[in-house]
Amino acid sequence: MFKKIVILLALVALGSCQLGGLQPGAVDDAAWEIAKWSTSQLSQYTSSQGEHVVKNIRDLTTQTVAGVIYRFTLDVSVVEPTGTMSFSCRIAVFDQPWTQTRGFLSTEPPKCVRL
């Protein structure tokens, strides 16, 4: 009986850990760090050279594959001398902290739309 309980618990634990599968993400400190890094890289996608500021993180998912892929939508404000512009940007970032590797996915470059 004990062996069956152990096997059942192992199966439940394995089922709740979906490596490689998309998971809803929590907007925690790690997500904010990725979002702030992303805004520092967005000028070529918004065609704006001003300071990019995160306003909101939406639709966050994570995927664990030899690191973490964060997919999310950022609401961004860009402060220019002529005024402030707003953008919504769909972003995918691969992060592997133990090798200091971080970057936009080449297969899913950021897509920004001016609001």
Side-chain angles (χ1 to χ4, degrees), residues 10-115:
L11 289 174
V12 168
L14 183 61
S16 66
C17 178
Q18 295 182 349
L19 294 176
L22 289 176
Q23 299 292 315
V27 181
D28 57 11
D29 289 343
W32 277 102
E33 178 185 334
I34 296 295
K36 288 176 183 176
W37 175 87
S38 297
T39 58
S40 72
Q41 310 294 311
L42 280 179
S43 62
Q44 75 182 58
Y45 302 98
T46 61
S47 300
S48 299
Q49 298 304 314
E51 178 185 3
H52 289 63
V53 180
V54 178
K55 292 302 197 184
N56 192 26
I57 302 171
R58 298 183 282 118
D59 308 321
L60 174 65
T61 62
T62 60
Q63 183 177 10
T64 303
V65 184
V68 179
I69 297 172
Y70 294 86
R71 289 183 176 90
F72 51 92
T73 301
L74 276 184
D75 295 329
V76 178
S77 290
V78 180
V79 181
E80 297 267 353
T82 57
T84 301
M85 295 180 286
S86 296
F87 292 88
S88 178
C89 301
R90 187 67 190 154
I91 296 173
V93 175
F94 175 73
D95 187 50
Q96 192 177 60
W98 60 93
T99 63
Q100 289 81 44
T101 302
R102 180 179 289 168
F104 295 129
L105 289 182
S106 60
T107 56
E108 296 178 48
K111 292 183 176 74
C112 295
V113 176
R114 188 170 176 183
L115 303 174

